[in-house]
Amino acid sequence: EAQVTQNPRYLITVTGKKLTVTCSQNMNHEYMSWYRQDPGLGLRQIYYSMNVEVTDKGDVPEGYKVSRKEKRNFPLILESPSPNQTSLYFCASSLGLSETGELFFGEGSRLTVL
Amino acid sequence: KQEVTQIPAALSVPEGENLVLNCSFTDSAIYNLQWFRQDPGKGLTSLLLIQSSQREQTSGRLNASLDKSSGRSTLYIAASQPGDSATYLCAVKGEGGSEKLVFGKGTKLTVNP
């Protein structure tokens, strides 16, 4: 089944404790992206990747890192999480942003930073 | 800078009604427009994708239209059902190979039995 898989789905952590949210897609998509969704603010893009070893900042990259060493994986790294990073995070992928392909989303990862 | 607006933010209708959700965007130079559905606590599911050269797309009881020149798109849902209750988001992609998607904040639809 074609899908975008995120882990963990739910996580409670404390300020400053490094964490990684993994994202994997099995559709051989070139484009991958991370979003955060907050009440009243909608979906905001954190980072995106057009292909392996190519990443770029989105609208709200501060406090986050990403890597794209393999085509299928695009982990989101919070080196020193803070309470303002409490949010619902989504990973998404598509064939290529320059293509007409639609965007596929993971189920989301709800992160709480205490 | 592209801005996408969805009005109303919430809509409640009785089962069986036909309804229209609205999406407007400020920059008409778009590559495509996509409608999504989001159930509470879940990810987004793509419903319809309209290319800039198209006027509408249909899937089952859903019909999405696009008027680029006026910066508007509508999502028409026929014979609504309680299972259609969800938040519906639209997103536009600007012209150019690397333009990102810009999302609206969504319309929360409740269909009452």
Side-chain angles (χ1 to χ4, degrees), chain A residues 70-83:
Chain A
E70 310 165 275
K71 200 171 190 179
R72 64 183 293 127
N73 296 321
F74 190 44
L76 180 69
I77 303 157
L78 285 74
E79 293 272 1
S80 183
S82 61

Side-chain angles (χ1 to χ4, degrees), chain A residues 2 6 16 18-19 25 28 41-42 44-46 65 69 71 77 82-83 92-93 95 97-98 103 108 111:
Chain A
Q6 298 177 224
K18 179 180 178 180
L19 67 92
Q25 49 90 8
N28 201 36
L41 297 176
R44 295 179 292 169
Q45 191 178 46
I46 303 171
K65 288 174 63 176
K69 293 184 171 61
K71 200 171 190 179
I77 303 157
S82 61
S93 73
L95 192 61
L97 205 56
S98 61
L103 198 60
L111 170 65

Side-chain angles (χ1 to χ4, degrees), chain B residues 14-34:
Chain B
E15 181 177 5
E17 273 208 2
N18 302 324
L19 60 100
V20 174
L21 304 180
N22 298 295
C23 172
S24 61
F25 45 94
T26 54
D27 186 349
S28 62
I30 68 169
Y31 191 76
N32 63 37
L33 182 145
Q34 198 167 349

Side-chain angles (χ1 to χ4, degrees), chain A residues 9 35 37 40-43 45 48 50 58-59 88 90 96-103 105-107 110, chain B residues 1 31-32 34 36 38 41-49 51 89 93 96-101 103-105:
Chain A
R9 295 287 317 281
Y35 296 87
Q37 187 176 38
L41 297 176
L43 274 162
Q45 191 178 46
Y48 65 96
M50 300 292 284
D59 297 316
L88 181 57
F90 290 104
L97 205 56
S98 61
E99 303 292 335
T100 58
E102 61 192 283
L103 198 60
F105 278 79
E107 286 288 294
R110 185 168 293 282
Chain B
K1 180 184 173 184
Y31 191 76
N32 63 37
Q34 198 167 349
F36 295 88
Q38 184 178 24
K42 300 281 191 177
L44 281 70
T45 301
S46 178
L47 297 173
L48 290 163
L49 175 72
Q51 302 303 331
L89 297 97
K93 188 171 87 170
S98 62
E99 291 292 324
K100 65 178 182 179
L101 279 175
F103 284 83
K105 294 182 180 178

Side-chain angles (χ1 to χ4, degrees), chain A residues 16 21 33-34 41-42 47 59 64-65 77 92 101-102 104 109 111:
Chain A
V21 186
S33 180
W34 277 102
L41 297 176
Y47 268 95
D59 297 316
Y64 305 95
K65 288 174 63 176
I77 303 157
E102 61 192 283
F104 293 85
S109 296
L111 170 65

